[in-house]
Structure formats: C-alpha cells, structure tokens
Amino acid sequence: MTFYIAAYDTEAPKCLDACRAIVEMHKRHRMPATFFIVGKMLQADPDEYRRLLDDELFEIASHTYSHRMLRDNPFCGKQIGPADLREEIFRGKEEVEKTFPGRKCIGLRPGCSFEDGLKGAPDVLKLVSEAGYEYVSSQAWGPDFTLPAPLNQAFTYAQDGYPNLTEYPCHGWHDNVLKGTTKWPTPKRMLAFPPLFPQAVPDGFVKTPREEFQVNNKFFIDLAIREKAGYVSLIWHPWSLMKFDPKMEMLDITFRYVKEQALGTLTFEQMHRRAKG
Ligand SMILES: [Zn+2]
C-alpha cells in the first residue's frame, strides 16, 4: 500500500495564522500531518501552537532552532559552524518538547534540505544521533539541487555509521518555488536537462490552487501509485499556502484525491513506527 504523508515546514511568523486554516482543513478530512516547526516560532507563541496542534492527528517535529543551514545549500547559503550546528539540532528538539509536554520529538527536517540528505555529513549526523532523533527528512532536491525532487524512498544512514537513523525524503516542488511566493531578484537554475519529469514542469509560476494540484500534487501521487512506492510526501510551507490560497482549496482538492485513490494516510512518526515494526 502507498501512504500519503501531509507535512509542513513551519518557519515564519506568518505560519501561525496559516496553521489555523490548515488545521481546520485537516480536521474536516480527518487527515494526519507532521508539522516540522522552527524552535524560535514556538518560543514566540507556545500557547497558541499548543492549542492548535496538540491533537492526535498531528505529529510535532523539529525544523531546527532558527532555520540556519546544516549543510551548504546553493540557494539558501553556507553551512554554519560547529557550535551553531549543535544549537540548531539540539535546541530545535528541546523547544518542541518544551512546548508539547509529554511528546517526544523524534524527527528533524533541516531548513531548505539537501540533494543527498545528510549522506557524507559526519559532523551533522553525529549531532543528530546524539540529540536522540530517530529520523530526518533532509533530502528534498533532485540531481544538482534541481526541482522537482524525485520520489526517493526511505533509507538508513548505515553506510555513514548510523544504522538506527532513518531518512524520509520528500517529493516534488517546494510549493513556494512553484508558485513564486518566494521572490528572488533573478531567475534561478532550478531545472535539470533533460528534465526528469517534463509533465511536472509548467511554463511559469502556477497561478491557481487547481493548477498547483494538477502540475505537482496529482503528478507525484499518481507516480507513487504507479510505482507502488511506500509513501509520497509533498513540500509545503504554511506562510506560502496562505499567501497564495487563503481558503486552502489546494489542500481540499488534494485530500479528496488522496481519499479517492484509497491511499493510506499517516504522519512520518507513524510511518517510522510501522517500518520499525
Ligand atoms: Zn524551511
């Protein structure tokens, strides 16, 4: 069975308001989700985040402490130093656990993520393991940091010496790039040639929730079903969803489709527990 995992990179002050509309849509559809949240955002309004997200439908995981780069990313910047790495990794987890008492934060999604996840990054892996994370979701790009990200599936970091740490890559476009909600002053080299997924490359920024669904969400969900993939998980940012589509129509369309296709639905934590048996 292929599972669908809804997930959000919750990273900016505007994400809190967006989460209100997102949570409503999730409750309407009884759709689970993982919220990866930046520690500093939780610090700014812990009560409201707890009120909104302390629900059995949701997993709360870390999106680092303040969204600084755990590795080099050509679009988002250079890797930070060792002391800062430790703070991003450890304090991110602590803030989640402080805000949601009784819950263990087992997952980490780094800011912006990377082409190879954390493969070949012993400094980062060591800290992630020491902090007590059980999984990371850090692979969110195609070859040479292109988009959309392919349908890579879970693997462990055994080759790097961490067999107990699992990677869950995420898939498709970063929604803010596809819709142009992040304004870059110049065009960016984002596409592979030849393209890996020509049908998932529109002529320009997508303009409507329906188009977003067609070009990206439906494409990758259908691909996952065709390839009998274990799971598919798209890359969403609450602030960007809100800016483009305040009624969260895209979520409504997508969740309906997921149910029509009879996909299973889970959080990353549930996926991880299943895999571990
Ligand atoms: Zn982020």
Side-chain angles (χ1 to χ4, degrees):
M1 181 188 226
T2 297
F3 287 95
Y4 175 77
I5 305 177
Y8 299 91
D9 296 358
T10 312
E11 60 196 20
K14 285 187 174 162
C15 286
L16 181 55
D17 193 37
C19 278
R20 295 190 180 100
I22 289 168
V23 162
E24 202 186 298
M25 201 52 85
H26 275 266
K27 289 190 170 168
R28 194 185 299 171
H29 289 274
R30 295 298 304 159
M31 176 67 71
T34 296
F35 288 83
F36 296 100
I37 312 181
V38 162
K40 277 193 168 176
M41 295 301 118
L42 292 174
Q43 272 181 336
D45 206 337
D47 295 343
E48 188 61 2
Y49 269 111
R50 191 165 45 245
R51 192 189 67 76
L52 269 173
L53 300 180
D54 199 3
D55 187 296
E56 59 182 11
L57 273 182
F58 307 134
E59 174 196 5
I60 317 300
S62 176
H63 194 36
T64 71
Y65 176 60
S66 68
H67 211 270
R68 291 178 296 174
M69 291 300 102
L70 304 190
R71 302 187 80 173
D72 290 353
N73 177 303
F75 302 104
C76 305
K78 290 276 182 199
Q79 186 190 41
I80 53 179
D84 291 339
L85 275 180
R86 175 171 282 272
E87 179 174 56
E88 289 299 318
I89 292 165
F90 277 74
R91 216 165 155 196
K93 187 178 194 297
E94 281 161 23
E95 290 301 332
V96 170
E97 292 175 351
K98 203 158 75 183
T99 310
F100 296 87
R103 288 194 182 216
K104 197 169 168 228
C105 170
I106 66 159
L108 169 67
R109 173 169 292 172
C112 300
S113 291
F114 315 102
E115 177 186 345
D116 298 319
L118 300 182
K119 279 184 205 165
D123 51 345
V124 184
L125 284 166
K126 184 172 180 292
L127 290 168
V128 167
S129 165
E130 203 184 307
Y133 291 102
E134 294 176 35
Y135 78 85
V136 290
S137 178
S138 67
Q139 189 178 40
W141 299 84
D144 289 320
F145 277 92
T146 53
L147 290 177
L151 200 62
N152 295 316
Q153 294 293 298
F155 59 88
T156 76
Y157 285 97
Q159 278 189 347
D160 295 79
Y162 296 92
N164 294 325
L165 185 67
T166 305
E167 166 73 39
Y168 293 97
C170 44
H171 311 126
W173 286 89
H174 298 204
D175 84 284
N176 54 317
V177 175
L178 182 64
K179 299 183 297 212
T181 49
T182 291
K183 303 279 180 224
W184 272 309
T186 55
K188 299 287 179 198
R189 294 181 196 180
M190 284 265 159
L191 298 171
F193 182 79
L196 277 70
F197 308 103
Q199 291 155 281
V201 179
D203 294 338
F205 298 125
V206 304
K207 294 197 175 53
T208 65
R210 172 67 60 181
E211 194 188 348
E212 180 180 6
F213 168 74
Q214 286 290 343
V215 165
N216 185 59
N217 308 6
K218 183 175 185 300
F219 178 85
F220 283 97
I221 291 167
D222 289 348
L223 183 65
I225 295 169
R226 259 195 331 272
E227 294 192 351
K228 299 186 169 42
Y231 76 98
V232 56
S233 187
L234 303 164
I235 306 161
W236 290 340
H237 303 81
W239 64 266
S240 169
L241 266 60
M242 192 70 177
K243 188 170 173 182
F244 182 75
D245 172 24
K247 291 193 175 137
M248 301 295 163
E249 239 181 282
M250 180 278 277
L251 295 185
D252 197 22
I253 299 167
T254 305
F255 296 164
R256 279 175 206 282
Y257 190 68
V258 164
K259 295 277 164 80
E260 277 165 25
Q261 301 304 308
L263 297 188
T265 58
L266 293 172
T267 64
F268 277 108
E269 182 176 18
Q270 290 163 340
M271 185 83 201
H272 187 62
R273 300 276 176 243
R274 259 181 83 92
K276 291 275 164 189

